[in-house]
Amino acid sequence: MINTTNPYEKIPVKVFNNQRCASVWIAGEIAQIIKQKQAQQLPCVLGLATGSTPIQVYKELVRLHKEEGLSFQNVITFNLDEYFPIPKESLHSYYHFMHENLFNHVDIQKENIHIPDGTLIREQIEDFCQYYENLILEKGGLDFQLLGIGSTGHIGFNEPGSSVNSKTRLITLDRKTRADASSSFYGIENVPKYAITMGIGTILQAKKIIIAAFTEGKQKIASTVIEGQLSSQYPATFLQNHKNALFVLERASAQGLTRYQAPWLLEAQGLKGELQIKYDLSTAKKGVIWLSQKVGKPILRLQQEDYEDNGLLELITQVGQGNCGIVNLTVFKELSQIITGWPAGGRPDKLPESYFTQKKAISKQKIIIFSPHPDDDVICMGGTMKKLTNQGHEVHVVYMVSGNLAVFDFDALRFADVLKETSKMIGGSGEEFYEKVKKQIKDKKPGEVDGPDLAYVKTIIRRTEARSAALCTGVEEQNIHFLDLPFYETGKSQKKPLGEEDKKIVKDIILKIQPEYIYAAGDLTDPHGTHRVCLESILAVLPQVKEQLPNLTTLLYRGAWQEWELDKVTMAVPLSPDELYEKRIAIFKHQSQKDRPMFPGSDSREFWQRSEARNKETARLFTNLGFVNYEALECFVSLDVLLVLGEL
C-alpha cells in the first residue's frame, strides 16, 4: 500500500496493489467503526453505495461476520440512491443488490435497513425525501459514508451541475450515466430515466467518507477529481472540502495521478520517500515521451532547457551523464526497436529484395490468440492476426466465453427464422424450435435471464460470427476453438467467480496446442469485467505450463476500450491503409455487434470506429515523437513488463 501526500492531490489518497487489497482494507475500516460504536453501546449509522465498486467490500464484511463474529446488530444503514420507478424484486433494483450482496448474509435488523423507495408514486416522492433526510438526522447522522464514482464524476446520482447544498431528491439521470448502466439492463432503453438520490449536502454531513475507484476505466475521472479544480461539473470534487474524506484507489485506477504520470515533478520539490525514482531505461522512456508530448517536440529535438524546466534534470545526470543528447538517442533507439512488421519474428532479411519476395517467415511459430469475447481478437489485433497468418505461422484463436448476453432478442428470432425456413427445404424441426424461441422472448421480462433455446441461438450467432471473422484473417478453421468457460454462463451480467474448472479448460488448451506465443487481452475495462476474469484464468495456469513451455512469450493487447501507454509498449505493429481496411472487414463479420451493440459502454461509436481511431491515434503519437508517419499501429505489452511494474 502507498500512502503519500503531495501538493497535486487535493483529497488524501491511498493506493493499493489491487482491488481485493483495497476492498479488504475498506471493510476493515467499516468494521472498526462498528466495533467502536458497539463498545460505546451506540448505534453505528452507515451510508452505503451500490455498483461494482463495493461488491468485494461487502463480500469481506460478510466474511468478517461469518468467520470472525462481526455483528451488525447495532448497525443502521442508509443507501445512497435507487432507480425510479423500479420494483424492489427487480434484479436491477438497489434493494435487490443490497440484500443479495450484504443484508441477507449478516445479522442486521430489517427495521434498520433504509433504501430509497423506487415503488412510490411520483406525488409521494417529495415527502419521502424529506422523511429520509429527517430520519438520517434522527439517527444521529452518518458515521461513515462509502462512495463510488461515476464516469461523469457523480457521487450517488448527483449528476454534473448538482449543488453542493443539495438534499435527497428525485433526479433525471444523465444520458452518459444511463449508457454506463446499460450493460446491466441489457440496453439503454431499459434503464430508468430517474432516480432518488441523497444530495451532495447530505453526503458531506457524514463524519467520515471513503470514495473508491477501481479499474483502468476510472483512471481519468479519479485524477480529475483528486487533482482538478472544485467544480459542480464534477460533483465528487466537493469532497476536497471535507475534513475527513479519503480516496481509495488500486494501481490501475491511480495511473492518471501526477505521482505516476510524472513522479519527477514531485522529486523536484523534495518529495521522495516511497516515491523515490530509480532512473533507469524504463524511467527514461516514460520521462522522455512525457516531455516530448508536453513541449511538443520530437524526441531528437529535445534540448537541455526542456529537461531543466520540467523537473527532469536528474534524468540527464543519471542516464545521460549530463548530456541530453545521449538520453534522446537512447530512448529513440529503444522505441525504434519495438516497431516491427514481423510480430512473431522470423523476418527473412539476409538480402534486401528477399523482404519483398518472400512472404513467409523463416521460422514457423505456434500461436494462441485468447479472445475473451468472440470479437475481441479482430477488434484489438485483427491487423496483426492477418500478418501472422500471411507469414505462415500456425495461428490458433481461442474464444473464451460465449458472449451470448450481447445479442439482441430480435437478432436471435431472425436467426431462428432462418433455421425454420431452411428446415422446410432440408427437413427437420426448425418450425418447432422457432416457436420455442419466440415464446421465450415473449415471456421474458426486461433484464430477465434468457430461456435455454434463446440462449443457445445467441451462442450460435456469436460463434458463427467469430468463425467467419477468424477465417477472414487467414486462420484455418481447425484452429478455431470455443471454450464456453463456465464462470460466464449465468445468463446474467453478474458472473460466477473464476473456478477450478475454468482454469483446467484454459490449461488443457494451452498444453494441447503447445504454443511459442500467447496473445491475451489486457483491455480490462469491459462493462462486466469478463476480460479481467479471462486474464486471471490465463495467469493462474501459466506457472503450471512453464516447465513444458519454457520459451513461451506472452503478449497482451488492447484496443476495444483503451490503449496502452507508449512507455510500456513492447511491440508496435504498423498497418497500411489496406491492412486497416481488411481489419475493418473482419470486424464487420460480427453483425450482431454492428451499428448498435448491446453493451457499448460510454462510447457511442461502433467498435470498428473505436478500434481504428485508437490505432490511428497511436500512429500519430509515434509520428509526433519523430517516427515514420504510419497509417495505424497495434500495440502489445509483454506480460513480464507488467509483472515487473507490479500492475498485474
Side-chain angles (χ1 to χ4, degrees):
M1 183 188 75
I2 299 171
N3 182 4
T4 304
T5 302
N6 68 62
Y8 294 93
E9 296 170 4
K10 299 170 184 175
I11 304 174
V13 177
K14 284 185 183 289
V15 182
F16 292 81
N17 285 335
N18 54 56
Q19 181 175 350
R20 170 65 181 159
C21 292
S23 299
V24 168
W25 183 85
I26 294 171
E29 290 292 295
I30 296 172
Q32 186 177 11
I33 295 170
I34 293 173
K35 291 175 183 177
Q36 288 173 350
K37 288 290 185 175
Q38 286 171 346
Q40 299 168 4
Q41 297 185 331
L42 293 172
C44 179
V45 185
L46 302 178
L48 299 179
T50 52
S52 60
T53 299
I55 286 178
Q56 290 192 36
V57 175
Y58 297 150
K59 184 177 181 180
E60 174 64 10
L61 286 173
V62 171
R63 189 197 69 79
L64 290 172
H65 168 69
K66 292 184 175 180
E67 297 181 13
E68 299 185 21
L70 176 65
S71 175
F72 287 75
Q73 284 287 315
N74 70 320
V75 173
I76 301 171
T77 66
F78 289 90
N79 262 76
L80 276 169
D81 43 30
E82 177 61 281
Y83 288 107
F84 177 83
I86 195 166
K88 290 182 178 179
E89 64 273 13
S90 168
L91 293 175
H92 309 298
S93 76
Y94 289 158
Y95 180 94
H96 177 272
F97 175 96
M98 290 305 305
H99 284 79
E100 183 179 65
N101 288 288
L102 180 62
F103 297 147
N104 288 347
H105 311 289
V106 297
D107 61 342
I108 189 170
Q109 299 179 50
K110 289 184 179 180
E111 60 269 23
N112 286 342
I113 297 171
H114 304 96
I115 302 172
D117 191 348
T119 67
L120 298 170
I121 61 173
R122 201 176 183 103
E123 290 74 19
Q124 297 174 314
I125 292 178
E126 186 174 348
D127 287 343
F128 172 82
C129 291
Q130 187 59 55
Y131 161 77
Y132 207 69
E133 287 283 330
N134 293 340
L135 191 59
I136 292 172
L137 294 175
E138 180 186 310
K139 300 299 182 182
L142 299 171
D143 294 306
F144 173 88
Q145 177 65 61
L146 178 62
L147 298 173
I149 185 170
S151 60
T152 61
H154 65 253
I155 47 177
F157 274 131
N158 292 283
E159 300 284 26
S162 294
S163 166
V164 67
N165 298 314
S166 57
K167 301 297 182 182
T168 303
R169 66 203 186 283
L170 181 70
I171 194 167
T172 302
L173 296 177
D174 186 281
R175 179 171 177 81
K176 194 170 190 301
T177 298
R178 295 178 64 232
D180 288 345
S182 64
S183 60
S184 296
F185 282 85
Y186 307 100
I188 193 171
E189 67 276 6
N190 297 322
V191 181
K193 296 181 179 179
Y194 306 97
I196 300 171
T197 183
M198 277 190 202
I200 295 174
T202 314
I203 292 168
L204 292 178
Q205 289 174 2
K207 300 176 182 68
K208 180 174 183 176
I209 298 174
I210 288 181
I211 178 170
F214 303 135
T215 78
E216 296 83 351
K218 295 295 177 70
Q219 193 179 111
K220 184 176 180 180
I221 191 61
S223 61
T224 297
V225 167
I226 292 167
E227 298 188 344
Q229 297 298 315
L230 190 147
S231 169
S232 63
Q233 290 306 302
Y234 299 101
T237 59
F238 289 122
L239 296 175
Q240 293 177 8
N241 289 335
H242 194 279
K243 63 182 180 181
N244 195 15
L246 177 70
F247 220 119
V248 173
L249 304 172
E250 61 168 338
R251 281 190 178 273
S253 56
Q255 292 301 308
L257 297 177
T258 299
R259 65 164 85 171
Y260 294 108
Q261 286 288 307
W264 41 86
L265 294 178
L266 297 174
E267 186 170 83
Q269 298 180 45
L271 298 169
K272 294 187 178 182
E274 290 176 293
L275 289 176
Q276 188 168 0
I277 305 170
K278 179 182 179 183
Y279 284 99
D280 53 15
L281 182 57
S282 176
T283 304
K285 283 171 60 179
K286 185 178 183 70
V288 171
I289 291 171
W290 174 85
L291 182 61
S292 172
Q293 293 173 336
K294 187 174 189 296
V295 302
K297 292 181 180 180
I299 291 173
L300 295 179
R301 291 183 59 192
L302 293 173
Q303 297 174 293
Q304 192 87 5
E305 55 263 34
D306 296 321
Y307 285 87
E308 293 177 1
D309 293 345
N310 290 282
L312 281 167
L313 186 57
E314 192 67 19
L315 176 63
I316 298 176
T317 302
Q318 295 199 31
V319 177
Q321 293 82 50
N323 186 335
C324 74
I326 293 176
V327 176
N328 293 348
L329 193 58
T330 299
V331 172
F332 189 83
K333 285 183 176 179
E334 181 70 17
L335 291 174
S336 299
Q337 291 172 5
I338 71 174
I339 302 173
T340 178
W342 297 84
R347 173 178 169 173
D349 56 358
K350 288 185 178 180
L351 295 173
E353 58 269 21
S354 70
Y355 179 81
F356 300 100
T357 59
Q358 183 177 346
K359 297 177 64 176
K360 304 300 182 184
I362 57 175
S363 58
K364 184 178 178 181
Q365 306 289 333
K366 283 187 178 180
I367 297 163
I368 291 180
I369 298 171
F370 279 109
S371 181
H373 296 98
D375 55 356
D376 290 314
D377 55 338
V378 290
I379 290 173
C380 298
M381 57 173 293
T384 302
M385 288 173 66
K386 187 75 171 178
K387 283 183 182 291
L388 289 168
T389 58
N390 282 346
Q391 291 165 10
H393 299 294
E394 183 182 319
V395 179
H396 294 255
V397 184
V398 177
Y399 298 101
M400 303 184 77
V401 305
S402 68
N404 56 17
L405 286 180
V407 178
F408 288 102
D409 289 345
F410 58 78
D411 277 330
L413 188 62
R414 178 173 59 86
F415 192 88
D417 193 22
V418 171
L419 178 62
K420 179 185 72 173
E421 293 298 320
T422 304
S423 70
K424 292 178 181 178
M425 180 178 67
I426 63 175
S429 55
E431 186 156 357
E432 180 183 348
F433 183 76
Y434 171 79
E435 292 301 327
K436 284 184 180 180
V437 171
K438 187 176 179 180
K439 184 177 188 305
Q440 288 173 17
I441 292 174
K442 182 180 179 181
D443 293 346
K444 187 182 69 168
K445 296 177 182 177
E448 285 189 343
V449 174
D450 290 334
D453 300 298
L454 178 57
Y456 175 75
V457 170
K458 291 182 177 182
T459 296
I460 297 305
I461 289 173
R462 297 303 308 269
R463 184 172 291 186
T464 54
E465 290 174 344
R467 187 179 291 117
S468 178
L471 291 171
C472 186
T473 65
V475 178
E476 296 183 8
E477 188 165 3
Q478 68 269 22
N479 293 342
I480 300 171
H481 314 268
F482 297 93
L483 300 186
D484 293 335
L485 292 181
F487 84 86
Y488 181 88
E489 301 301 325
T490 64
K492 300 183 290 185
S493 57
Q494 187 169 343
K495 308 300 188 295
K496 293 182 289 187
L498 181 68
E500 292 304 315
E501 185 180 358
D502 300 300
K503 297 175 189 176
K504 183 179 184 305
I505 292 171
V506 173
K507 179 181 177 181
D508 288 347
I509 194 72
I510 294 174
L511 292 178
K512 177 182 177 183
I513 296 171
Q514 297 278 306
E516 282 86 21
Y517 283 86
I518 283 178
Y519 288 84
D523 207 346
L524 306 181
T525 57
D526 63 305
H528 297 145
T530 301
H531 286 205
R532 188 174 295 273
V533 179
C534 286
L535 182 59
E536 287 173 0
S537 72
I538 296 169
L539 295 179
V541 304
L542 282 180
Q544 301 171 28
V545 303
K546 188 174 182 180
E547 185 175 338
Q548 297 182 54
L549 302 169
N551 298 318
L552 179 64
T553 297
T554 302
L555 297 166
L556 304 185
Y557 60 77
R558 285 182 176 177
W561 302 96
Q562 59 187 153
E563 190 51 274
W564 292 111
E565 300 89 340
L566 293 190
D567 62 283
K568 295 173 185 170
V569 172
T570 307
M571 181 174 71
V573 179
L575 305 181
S576 69
D578 286 345
E579 288 170 327
L580 192 62
Y581 179 73
E582 289 173 348
K583 173 178 176 175
R584 184 194 301 181
I585 296 302
I587 297 173
F588 282 178
K589 300 299 181 183
H590 293 273
Q591 285 295 302
S592 67
Q593 308 304 299
K594 185 77 176 62
D595 299 326
R596 179 194 168 206
M598 175 77 80
F599 304 126
S602 58
D603 192 332
S604 61
R605 297 173 298 174
E606 292 186 45
F607 284 118
W608 71 269
Q609 293 172 315
R610 303 183 203 184
S611 175
E612 285 192 10
R614 290 188 175 102
N615 294 160
K616 288 183 176 182
E617 173 63 11
T618 302
R620 186 190 69 81
L621 292 175
F622 269 91
T623 299
N624 290 345
L625 293 176
F627 293 94
V628 173
N629 187 6
Y630 295 106
E631 175 71 8
L633 285 164
E634 291 178 338
C635 290
F636 304 86
V637 173
S638 167
L639 174 62
D640 293 338
V641 169
L642 296 183
L643 292 175
V644 168
L645 293 173
E647 294 187 15
L648 284 178

